[in-house]
Amino acid sequence: MMSSESIRLVEVGPRDGLQNEARQVPTATKVELIERLAAAGHRTVEATSFVSPKWVPQMADAAEVYPSIRQRPGVSYPVLTPNLQGYQRARAVGVAEVAVFAAASEAFSQRNINASIEESIARFLPVLEQARTDGVRVRGYVSTVLGCPYQGAVPLADVVRVARRLHELGCYEVSLGDTIGVGTAGKARQMLQAVAAEVPMAALAVHFHDTWGQALANVHACVEAGVRVVDASVAGLGGCPYAAGASGNVASEDVVYLLHGLGFDTGVDLSALVATGRWISAGLGRENGSKVGKAWRDPA
Ligand code: HMG
Ligand code: MG
């Protein structure tokens, strides 16, 4: 398929990528990462999470990170807010876009946010209401759409129900997350199509982790099925603290390389993105999780 259509990446490295790092990453490094990702052409860079610092210590400096970012016009810097307390902390430092996160699996919802799916949605209602009043855009996540580390299989109907609910409640976009990276292309496509029967495709995004090495294939299958927003993490950073063994997100460099190869426009300068991935991998003392990041050679 060749196309000049555009696909937007949602760069989640600074949040999903770093949240699982055991060693505290300096605030200045986080800020520099965010700024470099935006400079590379990303239009959405998820910056941090206003969650409980007891639950995710790495994100405890959210209120320092966010206001330090030199924001570029035309770029959004959403942050995760699990409840009104998180939303208010975010607003106090000027956040203009937030994300709420629910799960399709009851067991994961309990472990991740200490609430049933219904309770978590009840916590989002005041966030969504306040956001509407404040003119703040809200993105929604559904986790464990292709499997759960605690309950195993997740019925498709549960994924569809939670995604539809978040959209009805006012989330402008719903990101469908294979939190533990077990999905395969056929199942990913089927899941996306089932959700797209109830929520417009234009309001959907896909979010793959690469634990089983399927993330890029899943992205490709979902792009062929019509999705035009893809979450990804520079250098494949990531993992979820409440999903043992979950490896990084699909690497942004690999997604950009795939999409440019298909003729899509992402607005991202792959050379600058690769440089950023190499810089953060070195800084964290990690192997670069992007194949493209390793193979890339800048033209002489
Ligand atoms: P809880 O313990 O049930 O909350 O946690 P609580 O309301 O009972 O409050 C307990 C304490 O936390 C209180 O403090 C609150 O003030 C404080 P204390 O009185 O004990 O000193 N607290 C907060 N502090 C700062 N900011 C807040 C906040 N809320 C409460 N917003 C809670 C419930 C939701 C807070 C907790 O479970 C939590 O923060 N969970 C976050 C988990 C998380 O961040 N997971 C990773 C992100 S999800 C993900 O990675 C998946 C995704 O990438 C998609 C995919 O891959 O599928 C999105
Ligand atoms: Mg994730």
Side-chain angles (χ1 to χ4, degrees), residues 15-16 19 49-56 80 82-83 85-87 89 101 108 112-114 123 141-144 177-179 207 209 239-242 249:
R15 193 279 305 173
D16 207 355
Q19 71 185 8
S49 311
F50 288 81
V51 295
S52 161
K54 285 184 197 142
W55 285 65
V56 185
L80 257 55
N83 52 20
Q85 189 178 341
Y87 179 83
R89 287 179 57 216
F101 48 108
F108 186 79
N112 192 39
I113 50 176
N114 202 22
R123 283 179 188 168
Y141 277 103
V142 185
S143 294
T144 59
D178 181 12
T179 317
H207 179 113
H209 285 257
C240 174
Y242 298 99
N249 293 75

Side-chain angles (χ1 to χ4, degrees), residues 115-138:
S116 68
I117 297 171
E118 264 323 296
E119 283 165 352
S120 74
I121 288 171
R123 283 179 188 168
F124 303 154
L125 293 178
V127 172
L128 283 149
E129 198 182 305
Q130 193 58 47
R132 198 171 300 121
T133 308
D134 298 344
V136 165
R137 299 211 309 161
V138 184

